[in-house]
């Protein structure tokens, strides 16, 4: 007698072929094995199922009653198993009604989302996008449970856990903007001019220390931060009406010039390039819909990366 733990499920494939061919030689040919090997498999089937299964008669091999009762259930089981091991269906973006949830700062919203929505509108009009703001703690649990698809932002700020997948999208560097008719700055400011001017800081958390302040502190220097705001939206209009300097990623500075009369200058201290990344959980790595979304974001990031002047 057999039970599921001791039964070799591979024998069911041979059983199905034997019942179709009712001939050991032809069954062996179908399975690309020798007749001797097929005969051995038949013997194992007989032992496992405690039944002759195929019996020689003057007119050829005939299935026993037990074999006849097993034919359809075995074929049904094999069909189900075949479906289980098939690769997932391709994602049909054009007819999908799926909603993707992304966590991103307003920086990433401004640079990525307009192009992403334009692309989706053309090829996948039924897909919706929900943007959530990034929080102070990394949303690893939301990525794992699927309530969040990807996180977009600065790698150095997000500091994602090492078990998550992280893909580089594009790079950025810090720049500074001032109003076009600034009375003190008509060319790239020196370090002394930069430190002497009042500064504006965009800080989502309300902290009065930014990346530049950390670098200045390392050099024993300090700047005066006159105004801190939590959002990017008001920043270009405020700078355009004051004598403050705003230091921010260069790509955002370029966008700000479209909204207000501003000049862009390099920051007069040596700073590294910053990496903008997309992060997701490996549980969703092979999901066709997830792959589709990430492919579109990667393509947009690649295009952005080629635009840095």
């Amino acid at each position: 007698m057999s039970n599921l733990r001791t039964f070799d499920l591979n024998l069911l494939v041979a059983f199905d072929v034997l019942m179709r061919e009712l001939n050991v030689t032809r069954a062996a040919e179908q399975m690309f094995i020798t007749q001797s090997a097929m005969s051995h498999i038949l013997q194992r089937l007989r032992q496992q199922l405690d039944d002759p299964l195929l019996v020689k008669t003057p007119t050829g091999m005939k299935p026993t009653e037990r074999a006849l009762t097993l034919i359809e259930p075995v074929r049904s089981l094999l069909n189900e198993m075949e479906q289980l091991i098939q690769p997932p269906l391709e994602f049909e973006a054009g007819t999908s009604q799926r909603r993707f949830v992304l966590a991103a700062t307003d920086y990433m919203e401004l640079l990525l989302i307009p192009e992403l929505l334009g692309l989706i509108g053309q090829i996948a009009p039924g897909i919706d996008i929900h943007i959530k703001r990034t929080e102070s703690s990394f949303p690893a649990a939301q990525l794992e449970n699927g309530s969040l698809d990807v996180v977009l932002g600065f790698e150095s700020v997000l500091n994602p856990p090492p078990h998550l997948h992280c893909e580089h999208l594009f790079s950025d560097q810090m720049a500074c903007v001032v109003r076009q008719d600034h009375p003190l700055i008509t060319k790239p400011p020196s370090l002394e001019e930069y430190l002497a001017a009042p500064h504006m800081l965009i800080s989502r958390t309300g902290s009065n220390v930014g990346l530049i302040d950390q670098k200045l502190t390392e050099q024993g220097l300090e700047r005066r931060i006159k105004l801190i705001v939590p959002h990017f939206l008001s920043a270009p209009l405020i700078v355009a009406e004051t004598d403050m300097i705003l230091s921010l990623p260069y790509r955002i500075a370029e966008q700000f010039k479209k909204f207000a009369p501003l000049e862009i200058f390099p920051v007069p201290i040596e700073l590294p390039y910053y990496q903008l990344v997309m992060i997701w959980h490996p549980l969703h790595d092979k999901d066709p819909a997830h792959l589709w979304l990430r492919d579109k974001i990667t393509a947009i990031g690649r295009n952005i990366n080629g635009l840095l002047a």
Side-chain angles (χ1 to χ4, degrees), residues 194-268:
Y194 182 80
L195 295 177
H199 288 259
M200 178 180 180
L201 174 67
I202 301 173
S203 174
R204 180 175 55 84
T205 63
S207 170
N208 61 354
V209 177
L211 295 171
I212 289 178
D213 300 286
Q214 296 172 9
K215 192 70 174 181
L216 288 172
T217 299
E218 293 174 4
Q219 301 177 29
L221 302 172
E222 186 179 6
R223 61 177 177 164
R224 178 193 174 192
I225 299 177
K226 187 178 182 66
L227 175 66
I228 301 174
V229 297
H231 306 295
F232 278 90
L233 183 60
S234 61
L237 304 178
I238 295 174
V239 173
E241 298 294 331
T242 68
D243 290 339
M244 289 186 292
I245 295 178
L246 174 61
S247 301
L248 73 171
Y250 177 83
R251 298 182 192 279
I252 293 295
E254 282 193 317
Q255 297 295 321
F256 278 9
K257 282 194 68 174
K258 300 177 183 178
F259 307 141
L262 301 172
E263 293 291 340
I264 303 175
F265 295 116
V267 176

Side-chain angles (χ1 to χ4, degrees), residues 26-283:
R26 291 198 299 270
E29 292 173 352
Q30 290 294 320
M31 295 191 67
F32 302 100
I33 59 177
T34 65
Q35 180 180 353
S36 175
M38 195 73 224
S39 296
H40 177 69
I41 289 173
L42 178 55
Q43 289 304 315
R44 289 185 61 200
L45 274 165
R46 286 167 170 164
Q47 292 171 3
Q48 294 270 292
L49 296 173
D50 193 23
D51 188 87
L53 299 177
L54 280 178
V55 178
K56 289 183 179 180
T57 72
T59 58
M61 301 282 280
K62 299 294 183 183
T64 65
E65 287 299 319
R66 176 78 191 283
L68 289 172
T69 63
L70 290 174
I71 289 175
E72 289 306 318
V74 167
R75 286 177 183 170
S76 177
L77 178 61
L78 291 175
N79 285 334
E80 290 183 15
M81 292 174 65
E82 185 73 24
Q83 293 299 316
L84 284 174
I85 63 175
Q86 289 298 312
L89 297 175
E90 290 187 10
F91 179 58
E92 297 292 341
T95 57
S96 174
Q97 300 294 313
R98 177 159 175 168
R99 183 182 73 165
F100 291 108
V101 183
L102 290 64
T105 61
D106 43 4
Y107 169 93
M108 294 296 279
E109 286 180 48
L110 184 59
L111 290 181
L112 278 171
I113 301 306
E115 188 171 349
L116 179 62
L117 287 180
L119 180 63
I120 288 175
Q122 295 176 7
I123 63 177
I127 287 178
D128 297 327
I129 299 293
H130 180 188
I131 306 293
K132 293 184 176 181
R133 62 177 295 173
T134 53
E135 302 297 339
S136 55
S137 59
F138 189 85
Q142 292 91 321
L143 285 177
E144 182 172 340
N145 65 30
S147 61
L148 191 61
D149 291 297
V150 299
V151 178
L152 304 170
F154 287 90
E155 183 177 18
S156 58
V157 175
L158 293 172
N159 192 25
H163 71 281
L164 299 178
H165 289 320
C166 181
E167 180 179 349
H168 170 256
L169 295 176
F170 57 90
S171 303
D172 207 346
Q173 64 188 65
M174 296 298 287
C176 57
V177 294
V178 298
R179 63 185 176 96
Q180 284 186 348
D181 56 349
H182 196 290
L184 301 178
I185 300 175
T186 58
K187 58 180 177 53
S190 65
L191 179 58
E192 291 74 18
E193 291 172 322
Y194 182 80
L195 295 177
H199 288 259
M200 178 180 180
L201 174 67
I202 301 173
S203 174
R204 180 175 55 84
T205 63
S207 170
N208 61 354
V209 177
L211 295 171
I212 289 178
D213 300 286
Q214 296 172 9
K215 192 70 174 181
L216 288 172
T217 299
E218 293 174 4
Q219 301 177 29
L221 302 172
E222 186 179 6
R223 61 177 177 164
R224 178 193 174 192
I225 299 177
K226 187 178 182 66
L227 175 66
I228 301 174
V229 297
H231 306 295
F232 278 90
L233 183 60
S234 61
L237 304 178
I238 295 174
V239 173
E241 298 294 331
T242 68
D243 290 339
M244 289 186 292
I245 295 178
L246 174 61
S247 301
L248 73 171
Y250 177 83
R251 298 182 192 279
I252 293 295
E254 282 193 317
Q255 297 295 321
F256 278 9
K257 282 194 68 174
K258 300 177 183 178
F259 307 141
L262 301 172
E263 293 291 340
I264 303 175
F265 295 116
V267 176
I269 57 175
E270 187 175 344
L271 293 167
Y273 276 80
Y274 298 99
Q275 306 303 315
L276 282 298
V277 296
M278 172 171 57
I279 303 161
W280 68 96
H281 200 284
L283 284 173

